[in-house]
């Protein structure tokens, strides 16, 4: 058995996983998320704000204490879209190093995609002849990764995410039809770009990861609270995903906030995340001529992939 620590710092949240790995499987010791909105305003300004950095550094200090309390296992810190885009990202890098003692890796979109795939498929039963599409709908980017049990086939990272597109398109509460139409067109364009590299027409199974996907799933299931054990592995008809996504998109924020499974840090951005997730699964259903009619939600994602990669590096 080997204990590892992993931190995933995205555009909307920073998450910690301390896990024990034995026989290739991870057992959670600590799994936490803090919504810090690191990427707030980055799409418009190109810079990480002082307030966003302060929120992120406070979470990093909390995580440093937890890692120490659990024996200081080997740690990998991965930063994604907002950190890639920001011209002052060195301030972020220096601040994380000072608090956690490791160099944060501002990974490429392709590496982010690979880690998401590894984490998602590590806990899902997948037949050898299945071509799986893992879709990671993040705050600043969305990753498309196709692969089989033998390995990756293709991956593409696109600059669309729930924070980025809320700021860019969905400014009103609730968003206007004109705003929704404009965002839908841009999402379609980026899905076209992804499809040029990732063979969506060959897909036999779709797996969605990250908070937008799991929240849409909770809404479709009408859960009485956020229940990971009910969400993980839930396979829903694409028609149900589309209906739940449309509902969340059109609800005013006050109504979203009242939903029992809605994280407070996701209230304002879930509409954009839901639209992206629904658009992707609808496109796959269309290009596979009815072969793919459902999609699966996974609570295991890039964070698990990072933890697995630490174990591989060390042992």
């Amino acid at each position: 058995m080997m204990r590892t620590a992993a931190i995933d710092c995205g555009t909307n949240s920073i998450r910690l996983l301390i896990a024990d790995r034995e026989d290739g499987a991870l057992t959670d010791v600590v799994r936490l998320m803090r919504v810090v909105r690191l990427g707030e305003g980055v799409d418009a300004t190109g810079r990480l704000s002082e307030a966003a950095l302060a929120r992120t550094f406070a979470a990093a200090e909390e995580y440093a204490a937890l890692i120490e309390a659990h024996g200081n296992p080997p740690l990998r810190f991965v930063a994604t879209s907002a950190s890639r885009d920001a011209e002052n990202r060195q301030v972020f890098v220096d601040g994380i190093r000072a608090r956690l003692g490791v160099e944060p890796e501002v990974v490429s979109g392709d590496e982010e995609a690979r880690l998401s795939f590894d984490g998602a498929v590590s806990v899902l039963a997948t037949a050898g002849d299945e071509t799986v599409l893992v879709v990671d709908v993040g705050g600043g980017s969305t990753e498309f990764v196709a692969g089989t049990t033998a390995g990756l086939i293709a991956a593409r990272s696109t600059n669309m995410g729930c924070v980025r597109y809320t700021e860019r398109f969905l400014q009103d509460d609730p968003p206007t039809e004109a705003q929704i139409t404009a965002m839908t067109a841009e999402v379609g364009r980026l899905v076209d770009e992804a499809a040029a590299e990732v063979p969506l027409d060959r897909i036999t199974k779709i797996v969605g990861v990250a908070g937008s996907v799991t929240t849409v799933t909770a809404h479709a299931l009408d859960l009485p609270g956020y229940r990971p054990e009910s969400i993980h592995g839930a396979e829903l008809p694409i028609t149900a995903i589309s209906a739940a996504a449309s509902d969340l998109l059109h609800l005013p924020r006050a109504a979203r906030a009242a939903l029992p499974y809605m994280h407070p840090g996701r209230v304002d951005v879930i509409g954009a995340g839901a639209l992206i997730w629904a658009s992707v699964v609808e496109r796959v259903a269309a290009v596979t001529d009815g072969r793919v009619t459902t999609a699966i939600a996974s609570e295991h994602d890039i964070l698990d992939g990072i933890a697995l990669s630490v174990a591989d590096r060390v042992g």
Side-chain angles (χ1 to χ4, degrees):
M1 186 179 69
M2 177 184 180
R3 178 162 293 180
T4 63
I7 294 177
D8 165 40
C9 186
T11 300
N12 196 44
S13 64
I14 181 170
R15 300 180 300 149
L16 168 70
L17 174 60
I18 301 173
D20 292 330
R21 182 178 182 179
E22 188 170 13
D23 297 329
L26 294 175
T27 301
D28 289 8
V29 177
V30 174
R31 188 183 287 262
L32 284 179
M33 177 183 75
R34 297 288 181 257
V35 174
V36 296
R37 197 63 60 84
L38 177 63
E40 185 175 49
V42 169
D43 189 53
T45 68
R47 295 180 61 83
L48 300 168
S49 73
E50 290 186 9
L53 285 166
R55 293 191 298 265
T56 304
F57 292 156
E61 289 167 4
E62 177 189 6
Y63 290 174
L66 285 166
I67 292 167
E68 182 178 9
H70 287 86
N72 279 319
L75 166 67
R76 185 180 183 190
F77 187 115
V78 167
T80 53
S81 177
S83 305
R84 282 197 300 266
D85 297 343
E87 64 183 47
N88 63 332
R89 69 180 184 182
Q90 194 59 45
V91 178
F92 164 77
V93 170
D94 293 344
I96 293 299
R97 188 193 305 112
R99 289 162 174 83
L100 285 159
V102 296
E103 187 82 8
E105 300 177 46
V106 184
V107 297
S108 68
D110 287 345
E111 172 70 356
E112 183 178 355
R114 185 187 66 77
L115 291 168
S116 295
F117 186 86
D118 289 347
V121 302
S122 67
V123 291
L124 292 175
T126 303
D129 59 348
E130 288 185 301
T131 301
V132 180
L133 176 69
V134 172
V135 183
D136 184 346
V137 182
S141 65
T142 295
E143 280 66 52
F144 298 73
V145 199
T148 67
T149 54
L152 297 187
I153 295 171
R156 176 64 185 262
S157 179
T158 58
N159 280 332
M160 60 178 175
C162 61
V163 174
R164 186 189 299 272
Y165 273 21
T166 297
E167 293 179 353
R168 187 179 297 182
F169 293 104
L170 307 183
Q171 296 93 351
D172 287 348
D173 176 26
T176 66
E177 288 304 316
Q179 290 170 351
I180 293 170
T181 298
M183 179 177 161
T184 300
E186 183 64 5
V187 171
R189 185 183 71 80
L190 289 179
V191 175
D192 286 343
E193 286 187 4
E197 296 183 28
V198 180
L200 300 185
D201 57 335
R202 291 168 49 190
I203 299 303
T204 59
K205 178 183 286 188
I206 311 173
V207 179
V209 302
S212 290
V213 172
T214 58
T215 303
V216 171
T217 303
H219 191 60
L221 294 172
D222 194 23
L223 296 179
Y226 192 90
R227 296 185 173 176
E229 69 278 7
S230 298
I231 294 168
H232 181 65
E235 185 168 1
L236 297 175
I238 288 172
T239 52
I241 294 170
S242 297
S246 178
D247 193 36
L248 287 169
L249 176 62
H250 288 89
L251 280 176
R253 290 176 183 173
R256 295 177 188 169
L259 296 171
Y261 37 78
M262 183 66 65
H263 191 285
R266 205 167 296 285
V267 169
D268 59 332
V269 297
I270 187 58
L275 195 162
I276 293 169
W277 174 228
S279 297
V280 172
V281 297
E282 289 165 4
R283 176 68 64 87
V284 175
V287 300
T288 54
D289 297 324
R291 183 177 65 246
V292 177
T293 60
T294 62
I296 300 168
S298 175
E299 285 281 346
H300 298 267
D301 52 26
I302 186 173
L303 190 59
D304 301 75
I306 297 166
L308 289 167
S309 74
V310 176
D312 290 339
R313 285 181 174 186
V314 176

